[in-house]
Amino acid sequence: MKRMAGLSALALIISSTSGCGWIWGPEGYFRDRGSDYLQAQQTAPMQLPQDVNVAKRLDPLLPIPRNVADDTAKGEYVVPRPQPLSAVADASDYTLQKSGDSSWVMGQHPPAEVWPVAIQFFQDNGFRLDEQRPQTGEFTTTWQRADELSAAMGKRLSAAGVASDAETRVRVRIEPGVQRNTSEIYVVSAERPAGSSADVAFTNRSVNTGLDAALVDDMLASMSRTAEQGGSVSMLATRDYDTPSRVSLSEDGSGNPVLNVGSDLDRAWSSVGRALEQGEWRVEDINRSLGLYYINLAEKAEKKDEKPGFFSGLFGSKPDKEEVEARAERYQVRLSKVGDNVQVTVEKNINTVAPAEVARKVLGVIQDNLG
């Protein structure tokens, strides 16, 4: 250790007296090699002896691209940093996605916020809602003729080949996107001849791709206008969207409190997260793949738009990490799919359940905030 300390001290003295050019400079050991490729030279292809036969052709491992704009450029080149995802998302709240003949809308908002905007578009165009299932993210319209819809929508149906006396209905499905707080909105239509009373079922794949694509395009334009105009989102609608249809507090076979929150895991995850955000305790971390919310009962919830008052900012100070750790009361809220139901439990850690009084208190707050 003494020898290493001596060498370190010697290196420090040398660097401080003679400069750091030999370490960090253009010719230093740790120099920036980002522009070295500009000086690279192409070497001749490898030649094999004439008496050697190979079954596979030997191609260059790292060939120089032929579409290089200028291979005589000199000087240092700074590689541009990739644009962050958030900046890309801010460019447009809603975008069109396509895969083969299918198209859908990608929204940079959680499903609960997209739900009322999607419904508003169809109602504005004369569609009457038949069934709404917020817990599964689906709603359907009633059977209607083109002349019962708005003039613009009637023309859309006609252009898509729908007979003027035929009846059409639409199913809209809103799913959580791959990234957090995003949504995917799908539209499928169904048709039946005039005078028919048959209840034609929706198919998983589009039957009239032209009509479905037109509806998606119009819905995208409407949603984009709403976002540009700063359209407000109905908080009642968002609450109804991800609120489970049935919530009950019970006990498992061991007497531990259990909160039952419907049957759809995605909606349950969203609704429980919203309930915890409205609670009085801090959510320190989440793990969606494990279905866990990590909470600290000793810390107050962090409010997004809450700012400290003048005197608290002047005389108060945030507790340091040691203080927070000393008084921490950490638990984890777990969501589990059990049969046809989703259960919420509270644990101290992966091997220990929380005390019954603590679990009942946390689950009770979640239950109250779900209503």
Side-chain angles (χ1 to χ4, degrees):
M1 285 298 290
K2 291 183 178 180
R3 183 179 181 183
M4 290 298 295
L7 291 174
S8 300
L10 179 61
L12 181 62
I13 294 173
I14 293 175
S15 63
S16 62
T17 55
S18 60
C20 299
W22 64 280
I23 298 179
W24 307 107
E27 303 299 329
Y29 185 78
F30 295 106
R31 64 183 179 83
D32 182 8
R33 293 176 168 80
S35 301
D36 283 5
Y37 77 96
L38 293 173
Q39 310 299 327
Q41 302 294 324
Q42 186 172 10
T43 58
M46 182 176 65
Q47 301 294 329
L48 294 177
Q50 294 182 357
D51 57 343
V52 175
N53 295 322
V54 293
K56 183 180 179 181
R57 177 184 172 184
L58 295 179
D59 293 321
L61 182 61
L62 298 173
I64 297 178
R66 295 184 178 274
N67 59 346
V68 175
D70 184 5
D71 59 357
T72 63
K74 303 296 182 182
E76 184 177 1
Y77 175 73
V78 179
V79 179
R81 296 181 63 84
Q83 190 176 14
L85 288 176
S86 59
V88 176
D90 291 341
S92 177
D93 285 19
Y94 298 96
T95 55
L96 182 65
Q97 306 292 314
K98 288 188 175 182
S99 177
D101 293 335
S102 302
S103 61
W104 65 96
V105 174
M106 170 67 74
Q108 300 298 328
H109 299 277
E113 296 183 8
V114 174
W115 172 266
V117 182
I119 287 181
Q120 188 64 45
F121 162 73
F122 284 92
Q123 290 180 329
D124 289 346
N125 282 278
F127 288 94
R128 296 190 299 270
L129 299 184
D130 178 39
E131 187 176 6
Q132 299 184 56
R133 295 186 293 274
Q135 289 74 32
T136 60
E138 290 184 354
F139 65 84
T140 59
T141 66
T142 61
W143 289 105
Q144 292 175 265
R145 298 188 311 274
D147 57 6
E148 297 180 85
L149 306 175
S150 66
M153 187 56 63
K155 292 180 180 179
R156 278 292 197 186
L157 268 63
S158 177
V162 179
S164 59
D165 56 350
E167 293 183 321
T168 306
R169 68 185 308 201
V170 177
R171 182 187 69 186
V172 179
R173 189 174 76 256
I174 304 174
E175 298 180 355
V178 176
Q179 298 181 11
R180 188 181 179 190
N181 290 330
T182 62
S183 306
E184 296 178 358
I185 308 102
Y186 299 87
V187 178
V188 176
S189 62
E191 302 171 32
R192 71 182 183 186
S196 174
S197 59
D199 189 11
V200 180
F202 289 104
T203 58
N204 292 330
R205 296 183 62 85
S206 176
V207 175
N208 189 336
T209 56
L211 175 57
D212 293 352
L215 289 172
V216 169
D217 289 342
D218 285 356
M219 183 174 63
L220 171 64
S222 175
M223 288 179 161
S224 299
R225 286 195 299 269
T226 301
E228 292 174 0
Q229 296 169 1
S232 60
V233 176
S234 168
M235 297 309 296
L236 178 61
T238 58
R239 187 194 67 185
D240 291 343
Y241 171 83
D242 60 9
T243 298
S245 55
R246 56 183 187 277
V247 180
S248 61
L249 185 60
S250 59
E251 295 182 351
D252 60 13
S254 302
N256 300 310
V258 174
L259 186 65
N260 300 288
V261 288
S263 59
D264 187 278
L265 187 57
D266 287 330
R267 300 298 179 267
W269 173 263
S270 174
S271 60
V272 170
R274 187 183 297 272
L276 287 172
E277 289 179 356
Q278 297 173 354
E280 53 188 295
W281 309 299
R282 181 166 303 176
V283 178
E284 294 185 327
D285 200 1
I286 62 175
N287 189 323
R288 178 64 180 87
S289 60
L290 296 179
L292 291 175
Y293 286 97
Y294 300 90
I295 62 175
N296 187 349
L297 303 186
E299 300 296 327
K300 293 184 177 180
E302 293 181 330
K303 303 301 181 182
K304 295 181 180 179
D305 301 326
E306 186 176 27
K307 296 182 180 179
F310 174 78
F311 290 104
S312 60
L314 187 63
F315 300 106
S317 60
K318 296 181 63 175
D320 54 29
K321 186 176 181 180
E322 288 74 14
E323 291 181 54
V324 173
E325 292 298 323
R327 68 188 184 209
E329 298 180 38
R330 292 191 171 92
Y331 295 90
Q332 54 191 37
V333 178
R334 181 184 297 275
L335 279 74
S336 307
K337 184 72 173 177
V338 181
D340 294 332
N341 199 15
V342 177
Q343 294 184 347
V344 185
T345 55
V346 184
E347 306 168 349
K348 183 62 179 175
N349 52 55
I350 192 172
N351 298 315
T352 310
V353 297
E357 62 274 11
V358 174
R360 194 170 287 106
K361 179 180 180 181
V362 172
L363 296 178
V365 169
I366 295 175
Q367 183 180 23
D368 292 341
N369 289 336
L370 287 177

